Amino acid sequence: MGKRRPARRRTAASKKPKPGDSQAVNNAFVSALNHPTRRELLRIFLERDAPLSPKELAEHTGENLSTISYHVHVLADKFAIELVEEEPVRGSVAHFYRASALAKRTAWVRESLDLDLPKP
């Protein structure tokens, strides 16, 4: 008999929760906030409420740009932040993110970051 092919791995996109599934989104937020750097980044996004790039975040936190970029991508994959702008910069593209509406209105996320709830 021939050799069996190994089962294909799931792609990262298939692990992404659907925005309408509140339990899956809450689980995604929990896993996103499981790291102190991601908690700090999300706190910055929520406090500033302005588009920020990984480079700006790296300068603000003093962390390595590649580390910040990794954590920004995790936050984006978990619906905590969203890409809002792209800007060409010297042969490359700068990406700007903002806290998602879902992160802004999820009370327990704001509470876990010691932030006040938004006023209606």
Side-chain angles (χ1 to χ4, degrees), residues 16-17 28-35 38 41 67-81 97:
K16 230 178 183 182
F29 276 149
V30 168
S31 68
L33 297 176
N34 234 357
H35 195 280
R38 290 194 288 268
L41 294 177
T67 301
I68 295 298
S69 293
Y70 168 77
H71 289 296
V72 164
H73 286 286
V74 171
L75 288 170
D77 285 344
K78 305 295 184 179
F79 300 109
I81 61 173
Y97 297 85

Side-chain angles (χ1 to χ4, degrees), residues 16-26 28-29 78-79 102 105:
K16 230 178 183 182
K18 299 199 177 359
D21 183 356
S22 61
Q23 184 173 356
V25 170
N26 280 339
F29 276 149
K78 305 295 184 179
F79 300 109
L102 194 56
R105 72 173 184 255

